[in-house]
mmCIF file of all heavy atoms in Angstrom:
data_model
loop_
_atom_site.group_PDB
_atom_site.id
_atom_site.type_symbol
_atom_site.label_atom_id
_atom_site.label_comp_id
_atom_site.label_asym_id
_atom_site.label_seq_id
_atom_site.Cartn_x
_atom_site.Cartn_y
_atom_site.Cartn_z
ATOM 1 N N LEU B 28 68.597 -37.809 64.015
ATOM 2 C CA LEU B 28 67.327 -37.277 63.535
ATOM 3 C C LEU B 28 67.412 -36.889 62.064
ATOM 4 O O LEU B 28 68.500 -36.821 61.482
ATOM 5 C CB LEU B 28 66.929 -36.057 64.368
ATOM 6 C CG LEU B 28 66.756 -36.287 65.868
ATOM 7 C CD1 LEU B 28 66.548 -34.951 66.579
ATOM 8 C CD2 LEU B 28 65.582 -37.227 66.140
ATOM 9 N N LYS B 29 66.255 -36.611 61.478
ATOM 10 C CA LYS B 29 66.181 -36.108 60.103
ATOM 11 C C LYS B 29 65.458 -34.766 60.136
ATOM 12 O O LYS B 29 64.238 -34.693 59.933
ATOM 13 C CB LYS B 29 65.455 -37.106 59.206
ATOM 14 C CG LYS B 29 66.200 -38.425 59.035
ATOM 15 C CD LYS B 29 65.444 -39.393 58.130
ATOM 16 C CE LYS B 29 66.214 -40.692 57.967
ATOM 17 N NZ LYS B 29 65.477 -41.657 57.094
ATOM 18 N N PRO B 30 66.182 -33.696 60.409
ATOM 19 C CA PRO B 30 65.553 -32.388 60.585
ATOM 20 C C PRO B 30 65.052 -31.817 59.257
ATOM 21 O O PRO B 30 65.573 -32.168 58.187
ATOM 22 C CB PRO B 30 66.675 -31.530 61.157
ATOM 23 C CG PRO B 30 67.924 -32.158 60.625
ATOM 24 C CD PRO B 30 67.639 -33.633 60.591
ATOM 25 N N PRO B 31 64.063 -30.932 59.294
ATOM 26 C CA PRO B 31 63.557 -30.334 58.059
ATOM 27 C C PRO B 31 64.578 -29.431 57.380
ATOM 28 O O PRO B 31 64.612 -29.339 56.158
ATOM 29 C CB PRO B 31 62.334 -29.540 58.522
ATOM 30 C CG PRO B 31 62.565 -29.300 59.979
ATOM 31 C CD PRO B 31 63.307 -30.492 60.471
ATOM 32 N N HIS B 32 65.405 -28.759 58.171
ATOM 33 C CA HIS B 32 66.461 -27.911 57.634
ATOM 34 C C HIS B 32 67.800 -28.331 58.235
ATOM 35 O O HIS B 32 67.851 -29.082 59.195
ATOM 36 C CB HIS B 32 66.179 -26.434 57.948
ATOM 37 C CG HIS B 32 64.957 -25.897 57.276
ATOM 38 N ND1 HIS B 32 64.920 -25.541 55.959
ATOM 39 C CD2 HIS B 32 63.698 -25.681 57.759
ATOM 40 C CE1 HIS B 32 63.707 -25.107 55.634
ATOM 41 N NE2 HIS B 32 62.942 -25.185 56.720
ATOM 42 N N SER B 33 68.855 -27.810 57.678
ATOM 43 C CA SER B 33 70.198 -28.222 58.095
ATOM 44 C C SER B 33 70.523 -27.744 59.501
ATOM 45 O O SER B 33 70.045 -26.696 59.959
ATOM 46 C CB SER B 33 71.233 -27.664 57.118
ATOM 47 O OG SER B 33 70.998 -28.138 55.810
ATOM 48 N N VAL B 34 71.360 -28.521 60.169
ATOM 49 C CA VAL B 34 71.890 -28.154 61.482
ATOM 50 C C VAL B 34 73.412 -28.150 61.364
ATOM 51 O O VAL B 34 74.016 -29.155 60.956
ATOM 52 C CB VAL B 34 71.443 -29.124 62.584
ATOM 53 C CG1 VAL B 34 71.881 -28.610 63.954
ATOM 54 C CG2 VAL B 34 69.921 -29.317 62.553
ATOM 55 N N ILE B 35 74.018 -27.029 61.697
ATOM 56 C CA ILE B 35 75.465 -26.832 61.570
ATOM 57 C C ILE B 35 76.088 -26.820 62.958
ATOM 58 O O ILE B 35 75.537 -26.227 63.891
ATOM 59 C CB ILE B 35 75.769 -25.496 60.851
ATOM 60 C CG1 ILE B 35 75.116 -25.479 59.460
ATOM 61 C CG2 ILE B 35 77.277 -25.266 60.726
ATOM 62 C CD1 ILE B 35 75.044 -24.091 58.851
ATOM 63 N N PHE B 36 77.236 -27.458 63.085
ATOM 64 C CA PHE B 36 77.973 -27.486 64.355
ATOM 65 C C PHE B 36 79.362 -26.914 64.090
ATOM 66 O O PHE B 36 80.099 -27.435 63.245
ATOM 67 C CB PHE B 36 78.059 -28.914 64.886
ATOM 68 C CG PHE B 36 76.718 -29.521 65.157
ATOM 69 C CD1 PHE B 36 76.015 -30.146 64.134
ATOM 70 C CD2 PHE B 36 76.137 -29.448 66.411
ATOM 71 C CE1 PHE B 36 74.755 -30.695 64.360
ATOM 72 C CE2 PHE B 36 74.878 -29.992 66.650
ATOM 73 C CZ PHE B 36 74.184 -30.611 65.627
ATOM 74 N N ALA B 37 79.705 -25.861 64.816
ATOM 75 C CA ALA B 37 80.969 -25.160 64.559
ATOM 76 C C ALA B 37 81.744 -24.959 65.849
ATOM 77 O O ALA B 37 81.280 -24.260 66.760
ATOM 78 C CB ALA B 37 80.704 -23.796 63.903
ATOM 79 N N ALA B 38 82.913 -25.593 65.922
ATOM 80 C CA ALA B 38 83.862 -25.339 67.009
ATOM 81 C C ALA B 38 84.924 -24.403 66.438
ATOM 82 O O ALA B 38 85.665 -24.796 65.530
ATOM 83 C CB ALA B 38 84.487 -26.644 67.493
ATOM 84 N N VAL B 39 84.969 -23.198 66.936
ATOM 85 C CA VAL B 39 85.793 -22.175 66.296
ATOM 86 C C VAL B 39 87.068 -21.898 67.088
ATOM 87 O O VAL B 39 87.135 -22.103 68.304
ATOM 88 C CB VAL B 39 85.009 -20.864 66.077
ATOM 89 C CG1 VAL B 39 83.834 -21.097 65.149
ATOM 90 C CG2 VAL B 39 84.533 -20.284 67.408
ATOM 91 N N THR B 40 88.057 -21.429 66.379
ATOM 92 C CA THR B 40 89.358 -21.123 66.953
ATOM 93 C C THR B 40 89.495 -19.633 67.233
ATOM 94 O O THR B 40 88.683 -18.815 66.774
ATOM 95 C CB THR B 40 90.472 -21.594 66.001
ATOM 96 O OG1 THR B 40 91.738 -21.442 66.648
ATOM 97 C CG2 THR B 40 90.484 -20.791 64.705
ATOM 98 N N ALA B 41 90.524 -19.284 67.984
ATOM 99 C CA ALA B 41 90.969 -17.896 68.187
ATOM 100 C C ALA B 41 89.885 -16.963 68.723
ATOM 101 O O ALA B 41 89.914 -15.771 68.444
ATOM 102 C CB ALA B 41 91.553 -17.344 66.876
ATOM 103 N N GLU B 42 88.970 -17.482 69.525
ATOM 104 C CA GLU B 42 87.990 -16.600 70.174
ATOM 105 C C GLU B 42 88.674 -15.683 71.167
ATOM 106 O O GLU B 42 88.354 -14.496 71.260
ATOM 107 C CB GLU B 42 86.920 -17.448 70.879
ATOM 108 C CG GLU B 42 85.746 -16.659 71.443
ATOM 109 C CD GLU B 42 85.938 -16.195 72.891
ATOM 110 O OE1 GLU B 42 86.974 -16.547 73.507
ATOM 111 O OE2 GLU B 42 85.062 -15.494 73.409
ATOM 112 N N GLU B 43 89.617 -16.249 71.911
ATOM 113 C CA GLU B 43 90.287 -15.468 72.949
ATOM 114 C C GLU B 43 91.168 -14.360 72.358
ATOM 115 O O GLU B 43 91.630 -13.487 73.090
ATOM 116 C CB GLU B 43 91.145 -16.387 73.828
ATOM 117 C CG GLU B 43 90.387 -17.511 74.512
ATOM 118 C CD GLU B 43 89.452 -17.037 75.611
ATOM 119 O OE1 GLU B 43 89.269 -15.803 75.752
ATOM 120 O OE2 GLU B 43 88.892 -17.890 76.310
ATOM 121 N N GLN B 44 91.398 -14.409 71.062
ATOM 122 C CA GLN B 44 92.211 -13.398 70.402
ATOM 123 C C GLN B 44 91.355 -12.307 69.764
ATOM 124 O O GLN B 44 91.857 -11.497 68.975
ATOM 125 C CB GLN B 44 93.089 -14.057 69.340
ATOM 126 C CG GLN B 44 93.953 -15.184 69.867
ATOM 127 C CD GLN B 44 94.944 -14.718 70.911
ATOM 128 O OE1 GLN B 44 95.492 -13.627 70.812
ATOM 129 N NE2 GLN B 44 95.189 -15.538 71.913
ATOM 130 N N GLY B 45 90.064 -12.293 70.076
ATOM 131 C CA GLY B 45 89.185 -11.273 69.522
ATOM 132 C C GLY B 45 88.130 -11.829 68.586
ATOM 133 O O GLY B 45 87.761 -11.170 67.608
ATOM 134 N N LEU B 46 87.622 -13.031 68.859
ATOM 135 C CA LEU B 46 86.556 -13.661 68.073
ATOM 136 C C LEU B 46 86.978 -13.873 66.621
ATOM 137 O O LEU B 46 86.157 -13.801 65.696
ATOM 138 C CB LEU B 46 85.263 -12.827 68.116
ATOM 139 C CG LEU B 46 84.815 -12.265 69.470
ATOM 140 C CD1 LEU B 46 83.494 -11.528 69.325
ATOM 141 C CD2 LEU B 46 84.696 -13.363 70.511
ATOM 142 N N LEU B 47 88.245 -14.190 66.395
ATOM 143 C CA LEU B 47 88.773 -14.203 65.031
ATOM 144 C C LEU B 47 88.305 -15.406 64.221
ATOM 145 O O LEU B 47 88.009 -15.276 63.024
ATOM 146 C CB LEU B 47 90.305 -14.158 65.072
ATOM 147 C CG LEU B 47 90.923 -12.925 65.721
ATOM 148 C CD1 LEU B 47 92.440 -12.991 65.641
ATOM 149 C CD2 LEU B 47 90.414 -11.649 65.062
ATOM 150 N N GLY B 48 88.264 -16.589 64.828
ATOM 151 C CA GLY B 48 87.811 -17.754 64.092
ATOM 152 C C GLY B 48 86.360 -17.615 63.659
ATOM 153 O O GLY B 48 86.006 -17.922 62.514
ATOM 154 N N SER B 49 85.516 -17.148 64.555
ATOM 155 C CA SER B 49 84.107 -16.971 64.200
ATOM 156 C C SER B 49 83.928 -15.815 63.225
ATOM 157 O O SER B 49 83.017 -15.845 62.384
ATOM 158 C CB SER B 49 83.259 -16.747 65.457
ATOM 159 O OG SER B 49 83.691 -15.618 66.185
ATOM 160 N N GLU B 50 84.785 -14.803 63.309
ATOM 161 C CA GLU B 50 84.717 -13.721 62.322
ATOM 162 C C GLU B 50 84.952 -14.270 60.922
ATOM 163 O O GLU B 50 84.227 -13.949 59.972
ATOM 164 C CB GLU B 50 85.750 -12.635 62.642
ATOM 165 C CG GLU B 50 85.752 -11.484 61.647
ATOM 166 C CD GLU B 50 86.784 -10.417 61.960
ATOM 167 O OE1 GLU B 50 87.279 -10.378 63.104
ATOM 168 O OE2 GLU B 50 87.101 -9.599 61.069
ATOM 169 N N TYR B 51 85.960 -15.142 60.800
ATOM 170 C CA TYR B 51 86.252 -15.738 59.501
ATOM 171 C C TYR B 51 85.108 -16.653 59.051
ATOM 172 O O TYR B 51 84.691 -16.631 57.884
ATOM 173 C CB TYR B 51 87.559 -16.526 59.572
ATOM 174 C CG TYR B 51 88.013 -17.057 58.224
ATOM 175 C CD1 TYR B 51 88.798 -16.269 57.385
ATOM 176 C CD2 TYR B 51 87.644 -18.327 57.794
ATOM 177 C CE1 TYR B 51 89.200 -16.749 56.135
ATOM 178 C CE2 TYR B 51 88.044 -18.813 56.561
ATOM 179 C CZ TYR B 51 88.826 -18.015 55.735
ATOM 180 O OH TYR B 51 89.215 -18.489 54.505
ATOM 181 N N LEU B 52 84.575 -17.453 59.974
ATOM 182 C CA LEU B 52 83.466 -18.339 59.630
ATOM 183 C C LEU B 52 82.242 -17.531 59.216
ATOM 184 O O LEU B 52 81.531 -17.915 58.276
ATOM 185 C CB LEU B 52 83.132 -19.248 60.813
ATOM 186 C CG LEU B 52 81.974 -20.236 60.608
ATOM 187 C CD1 LEU B 52 82.250 -21.177 59.441
ATOM 188 C CD2 LEU B 52 81.717 -21.032 61.880
ATOM 189 N N GLY B 53 81.992 -16.420 59.894
ATOM 190 C CA GLY B 53 80.860 -15.578 59.516
ATOM 191 C C GLY B 53 81.006 -15.029 58.108
ATOM 192 O O GLY B 53 80.019 -14.868 57.375
ATOM 193 N N GLN B 54 82.239 -14.752 57.719
ATOM 194 C CA GLN B 54 82.491 -14.232 56.373
ATOM 195 C C GLN B 54 82.550 -15.349 55.339
ATOM 196 O O GLN B 54 82.417 -15.094 54.138
ATOM 197 C CB GLN B 54 83.804 -13.455 56.366
ATOM 198 C CG GLN B 54 83.765 -12.194 57.214
ATOM 199 C CD GLN B 54 85.136 -11.579 57.420
ATOM 200 O OE1 GLN B 54 86.150 -12.120 56.974
ATOM 201 N NE2 GLN B 54 85.182 -10.435 58.098
ATOM 202 N N HIS B 55 82.757 -16.602 55.787
ATOM 203 C CA HIS B 55 82.853 -17.753 54.883
ATOM 204 C C HIS B 55 82.023 -18.913 55.449
ATOM 205 O O HIS B 55 82.557 -19.980 55.768
ATOM 206 C CB HIS B 55 84.316 -18.186 54.716
ATOM 207 C CG HIS B 55 85.231 -17.093 54.274
ATOM 208 N ND1 HIS B 55 85.834 -16.219 55.166
ATOM 209 C CD2 HIS B 55 85.653 -16.728 53.033
ATOM 210 C CE1 HIS B 55 86.586 -15.371 54.494
ATOM 211 N NE2 HIS B 55 86.488 -15.645 53.201
ATOM 212 N N PRO B 56 80.698 -18.740 55.566
ATOM 213 C CA PRO B 56 79.866 -19.783 56.170
ATOM 214 C C PRO B 56 79.679 -20.961 55.220
ATOM 215 O O PRO B 56 79.824 -20.829 53.998
ATOM 216 C CB PRO B 56 78.536 -19.066 56.413
ATOM 217 C CG PRO B 56 78.495 -17.998 55.362
ATOM 218 C CD PRO B 56 79.921 -17.551 55.163
ATOM 219 N N PRO B 57 79.350 -22.144 55.759
ATOM 220 C CA PRO B 57 79.164 -23.332 54.912
ATOM 221 C C PRO B 57 77.944 -23.237 54.002
ATOM 222 O O PRO B 57 77.890 -23.905 52.972
ATOM 223 C CB PRO B 57 79.036 -24.477 55.915
ATOM 224 C CG PRO B 57 78.598 -23.821 57.184
ATOM 225 C CD PRO B 57 79.230 -22.464 57.184
ATOM 226 N N ILE B 58 76.948 -22.469 54.403
ATOM 227 C CA ILE B 58 75.828 -22.110 53.531
ATOM 228 C C ILE B 58 75.652 -20.597 53.668
ATOM 229 O O ILE B 58 76.163 -19.993 54.618
ATOM 230 C CB ILE B 58 74.530 -22.855 53.917
ATOM 231 C CG1 ILE B 58 74.048 -22.428 55.309
ATOM 232 C CG2 ILE B 58 74.720 -24.362 53.855
ATOM 233 C CD1 ILE B 58 72.680 -23.014 55.666
ATOM 234 N N PRO B 59 74.976 -19.935 52.742
ATOM 235 C CA PRO B 59 74.853 -18.473 52.831
ATOM 236 C C PRO B 59 74.284 -18.025 54.176
ATOM 237 O O PRO B 59 73.365 -18.646 54.727
ATOM 238 C CB PRO B 59 73.910 -18.135 51.677
ATOM 239 C CG PRO B 59 74.112 -19.238 50.684
ATOM 240 C CD PRO B 59 74.351 -20.473 51.514
ATOM 241 N N ALA B 60 74.836 -16.939 54.701
ATOM 242 C CA ALA B 60 74.390 -16.435 56.005
ATOM 243 C C ALA B 60 72.906 -16.126 56.021
ATOM 244 O O ALA B 60 72.239 -16.288 57.053
ATOM 245 C CB ALA B 60 75.192 -15.184 56.379
ATOM 246 N N GLY B 61 72.362 -15.697 54.897
ATOM 247 C CA GLY B 61 70.938 -15.395 54.822
ATOM 248 C C GLY B 61 70.059 -16.614 54.971
ATOM 249 O O GLY B 61 68.845 -16.491 55.177
ATOM 250 N N GLN B 62 70.648 -17.823 54.863
ATOM 251 C CA GLN B 62 69.895 -19.061 55.019
ATOM 252 C C GLN B 62 70.142 -19.721 56.377
ATOM 253 O O GLN B 62 69.747 -20.868 56.594
ATOM 254 C CB GLN B 62 70.240 -20.025 53.886
ATOM 255 C CG GLN B 62 69.795 -19.534 52.522
ATOM 256 C CD GLN B 62 70.042 -20.555 51.431
ATOM 257 O OE1 GLN B 62 69.937 -21.758 51.649
ATOM 258 N NE2 GLN B 62 70.374 -20.082 50.240
ATOM 259 N N ILE B 63 70.809 -19.013 57.271
ATOM 260 C CA ILE B 63 70.979 -19.498 58.641
ATOM 261 C C ILE B 63 69.993 -18.741 59.517
ATOM 262 O O ILE B 63 70.087 -17.507 59.655
ATOM 263 C CB ILE B 63 72.418 -19.311 59.140
ATOM 264 C CG1 ILE B 63 73.398 -20.049 58.215
ATOM 265 C CG2 ILE B 63 72.561 -19.815 60.575
ATOM 266 C CD1 ILE B 63 74.858 -19.839 58.570
ATOM 267 N N ALA B 64 69.029 -19.446 60.060
ATOM 268 C CA ALA B 64 67.958 -18.809 60.824
ATOM 269 C C ALA B 64 68.406 -18.372 62.206
ATOM 270 O O ALA B 64 67.887 -17.395 62.758
ATOM 271 C CB ALA B 64 66.767 -19.760 60.948
ATOM 272 N N LEU B 65 69.387 -19.091 62.766
ATOM 273 C CA LEU B 65 69.707 -18.854 64.175
ATOM 274 C C LEU B 65 71.060 -19.465 64.511
ATOM 275 O O LEU B 65 71.383 -20.557 64.035
ATOM 276 C CB LEU B 65 68.627 -19.497 65.047
ATOM 277 C CG LEU B 65 68.718 -19.323 66.568
ATOM 278 C CD1 LEU B 65 68.472 -17.864 66.958
ATOM 279 C CD2 LEU B 65 67.701 -20.225 67.268
ATOM 280 N N ASP B 66 71.849 -18.753 65.302
ATOM 281 C CA ASP B 66 73.042 -19.337 65.919
ATOM 282 C C ASP B 66 72.839 -19.353 67.419
ATOM 283 O O ASP B 66 72.505 -18.326 68.028
ATOM 284 C CB ASP B 66 74.298 -18.534 65.594
ATOM 285 C CG ASP B 66 75.487 -19.000 66.422
ATOM 286 O OD1 ASP B 66 75.887 -20.166 66.250
ATOM 287 O OD2 ASP B 66 75.988 -18.212 67.267
ATOM 288 N N LEU B 67 73.042 -20.522 68.006
ATOM 289 C CA LEU B 67 73.004 -20.686 69.460
ATOM 290 C C LEU B 67 74.418 -21.022 69.915
ATOM 291 O O LEU B 67 74.975 -22.050 69.529
ATOM 292 C CB LEU B 67 72.032 -21.798 69.849
ATOM 293 C CG LEU B 67 70.559 -21.544 69.486
ATOM 294 C CD1 LEU B 67 69.721 -22.785 69.752
ATOM 295 C CD2 LEU B 67 70.005 -20.354 70.260
ATOM 296 N N ASN B 68 74.982 -20.166 70.722
ATOM 297 C CA ASN B 68 76.384 -20.276 71.118
ATOM 298 C C ASN B 68 76.483 -20.698 72.587
ATOM 299 O O ASN B 68 75.665 -20.302 73.422
ATOM 300 C CB ASN B 68 77.064 -18.912 70.922
ATOM 301 C CG ASN B 68 78.556 -18.974 71.153
ATOM 302 O OD1 ASN B 68 79.274 -19.690 70.462
ATOM 303 N ND2 ASN B 68 79.038 -18.211 72.123
ATOM 304 N N TYR B 69 77.501 -21.509 72.884
ATOM 305 C CA TYR B 69 77.759 -21.935 74.265
ATOM 306 C C TYR B 69 79.184 -21.526 74.634
ATOM 307 O O TYR B 69 80.143 -21.900 73.955
ATOM 308 C CB TYR B 69 77.593 -23.445 74.402
ATOM 309 C CG TYR B 69 76.162 -23.912 74.349
ATOM 310 C CD1 TYR B 69 75.577 -24.302 73.146
ATOM 311 C CD2 TYR B 69 75.384 -23.952 75.506
ATOM 312 C CE1 TYR B 69 74.260 -24.724 73.101
ATOM 313 C CE2 TYR B 69 74.062 -24.381 75.469
ATOM 314 C CZ TYR B 69 73.500 -24.771 74.264
ATOM 315 O OH TYR B 69 72.192 -25.188 74.222
ATOM 316 N N ASP B 70 79.301 -20.793 75.731
ATOM 317 C CA ASP B 70 80.608 -20.292 76.136
ATOM 318 C C ASP B 70 80.666 -20.187 77.653
ATOM 319 O O ASP B 70 79.883 -19.440 78.253
ATOM 320 C CB ASP B 70 80.854 -18.912 75.496
ATOM 321 C CG ASP B 70 82.281 -18.412 75.668
ATOM 322 O OD1 ASP B 70 83.095 -19.128 76.290
ATOM 323 O OD2 ASP B 70 82.590 -17.312 75.176
ATOM 324 N N ASP B 71 81.582 -20.952 78.247
ATOM 325 C CA ASP B 71 81.869 -20.811 79.672
ATOM 326 C C ASP B 71 80.645 -21.120 80.539
ATOM 327 O O ASP B 71 80.189 -20.291 81.316
ATOM 328 C CB ASP B 71 82.381 -19.386 79.950
ATOM 329 C CG ASP B 71 83.276 -19.319 81.178
ATOM 330 O OD1 ASP B 71 83.269 -20.274 81.961
ATOM 331 O OD2 ASP B 71 83.970 -18.298 81.349
ATOM 332 N N ILE B 72 80.131 -22.337 80.408
ATOM 333 C CA ILE B 72 78.977 -22.769 81.198
ATOM 334 C C ILE B 72 79.485 -23.400 82.485
ATOM 335 O O ILE B 72 80.055 -24.495 82.477
ATOM 336 C CB ILE B 72 78.113 -23.775 80.414
ATOM 337 C CG1 ILE B 72 77.741 -23.214 79.037
ATOM 338 C CG2 ILE B 72 76.872 -24.132 81.222
ATOM 339 C CD1 ILE B 72 76.928 -21.947 79.071
ATOM 340 N N GLN B 73 79.277 -22.716 83.578
ATOM 341 C CA GLN B 73 79.826 -23.181 84.854
ATOM 342 C C GLN B 73 79.127 -24.448 85.333
ATOM 343 O O GLN B 73 77.896 -24.498 85.409
ATOM 344 C CB GLN B 73 79.697 -22.083 85.907
ATOM 345 C CG GLN B 73 80.511 -20.840 85.615
ATOM 346 C CD GLN B 73 82.004 -21.107 85.658
ATOM 347 O OE1 GLN B 73 82.466 -22.007 86.347
ATOM 348 N NE2 GLN B 73 82.761 -20.315 84.913
ATOM 349 N N PRO B 74 79.872 -25.494 85.675
ATOM 350 C CA PRO B 74 79.285 -26.750 86.165
ATOM 351 C C PRO B 74 78.973 -26.660 87.652
ATOM 352 O O PRO B 74 79.633 -27.285 88.483
ATOM 353 C CB PRO B 74 80.379 -27.780 85.852
ATOM 354 C CG PRO B 74 81.653 -27.004 85.855
ATOM 355 C CD PRO B 74 81.335 -25.605 85.451
ATOM 356 N N PHE B 75 77.930 -25.885 87.972
ATOM 357 C CA PHE B 75 77.579 -25.616 89.367
ATOM 358 C C PHE B 75 76.372 -26.419 89.846
ATOM 359 O O PHE B 75 75.979 -26.292 90.997
ATOM 360 C CB PHE B 75 77.263 -24.127 89.551
ATOM 361 C CG PHE B 75 78.454 -23.204 89.456
ATOM 362 C CD1 PHE B 75 78.262 -21.852 89.210
ATOM 363 C CD2 PHE B 75 79.753 -23.672 89.617
ATOM 364 C CE1 PHE B 75 79.348 -20.987 89.141
ATOM 365 C CE2 PHE B 75 80.838 -22.813 89.534
ATOM 366 C CZ PHE B 75 80.638 -21.461 89.296
#
């Protein structure tokens, strides 16, 4: 697709150690955090 705004995909490390990879990404995002409208996270989706 050609979306109107950017779409970022982030597979982060060290979540099980206290959300450390995402903590670092939050402090060093690919574009300024103020320009990210929304984060949708997927974690442990049971295949039921």
Side-chain angles (χ1 to χ4, degrees):
L28 301 172
K29 295 180 179 179
H32 295 282
S33 300
V34 187
I35 302 164
F36 299 86
V39 298
T40 187
E42 187 270 356
E43 302 290 8
Q44 305 298 323
L46 316 183
L47 299 182
S49 59
E50 179 181 343
Y51 186 87
L52 180 59
Q54 294 169 357
H55 305 86
I58 65 173
Q62 294 185 35
I63 302 176
L65 183 68
D66 170 63
L67 297 173
N68 187 61
Y69 287 93
D70 190 0
D71 206 345
I72 307 299
Q73 295 294 333
F75 289 161

